[in-house]
Amino acid sequence: MSITLSEEEMRYISLLEMVSGVKARDCILSEEENRLIFLVEKELVGLCVGKNGRHIKKLRRLLGKEVEVVGYSEDPEEFLRLLFAPVQLSSLTLTEEDGKKVAVVEVRPQEKGLAIGKAGARIKRAKKLAQRNLGIHNIIIR
């Protein structure tokens, strides 16, 4: 699956690589949240964040934006679990509707708000990353 990055997103990825030494697979700029979300290989998340979060703190200072790092996995189930962490998924089912991949995610009732996020931010981020990286067109939380 190929990802088309804007010039701005490519600059952010280059900056992340200069600061942390880790190349991001994807980058999403969320203007409404003033947040950058980087997708890196799951094994490299700790290296990307840095000891005591020093790389992320430096990026926050340089960019004046919140910075988040999410782990990536080729396995759709593992990737979705990483996207929703720290929320524990009770079950996850991948189906197809009208020829498009759909993920149905079940969470405990007390964690549903956390899974959706403030103003739907977490679910929007998850949908965008899942679509761009695995071709999953929708995520339904139950």
Side-chain angles (χ1 to χ4, degrees):
M1 178 140 273
S2 78
I3 300 165
T4 304
L5 295 167
S6 71
E7 197 174 305
E8 187 177 21
E9 289 166 334
M10 287 189 279
R11 280 196 304 271
Y12 290 135
I13 286 175
S14 293
L15 183 60
L16 176 76
E17 191 171 0
M18 285 189 317
V19 169
S20 71
V22 175
K23 179 125 173 77
R25 176 184 176 87
D26 197 359
C27 171
I28 294 176
L29 173 61
S30 174
E31 295 286 353
E32 62 272 358
E33 292 182 284
N34 194 35
R35 176 182 295 260
L36 271 171
I37 301 139
F38 291 102
L39 187 65
V40 301
E41 297 300 324
K42 66 179 182 184
E43 300 83 15
L44 300 177
V45 171
L47 181 62
C48 186
V49 170
K51 188 174 184 175
N52 297 320
R54 84 168 180 256
H55 299 312
I56 299 304
K57 289 174 185 170
K58 183 173 185 177
L59 285 169
R60 283 180 184 149
R61 278 193 313 274
L62 289 170
L63 301 170
K65 298 181 184 313
E66 285 300 311
V67 177
E68 186 176 346
V69 178
V70 178
Y72 173 76
S73 172
E74 291 281 333
D75 174 41
E77 187 170 324
E78 184 178 16
F79 182 53
L80 288 166
R81 290 187 189 283
L82 290 168
L83 280 177
F84 283 102
V87 175
Q88 296 294 312
L89 307 184
S90 305
S91 74
L92 190 145
T93 309
L94 291 171
T95 63
E96 265 194 43
E97 289 179 13
D98 300 323
K100 296 181 178 181
K101 292 182 195 174
V102 175
V104 179
V105 175
E106 288 188 35
V107 298
R108 295 187 320 214
Q110 61 267 36
E111 289 190 310
K112 195 168 186 176
L114 184 57
I116 294 169
K118 186 176 183 178
R122 183 183 294 264
I123 188 67
K124 285 178 197 170
R125 174 199 77 183
K127 285 180 179 182
K128 191 164 189 176
L129 285 169
Q131 159 118 58
R132 284 170 60 133
N133 291 278
L134 294 179
I136 297 171
H137 289 272
N138 195 14
I139 300 173
I140 299 166
I141 296 180
R142 293 194 174 134

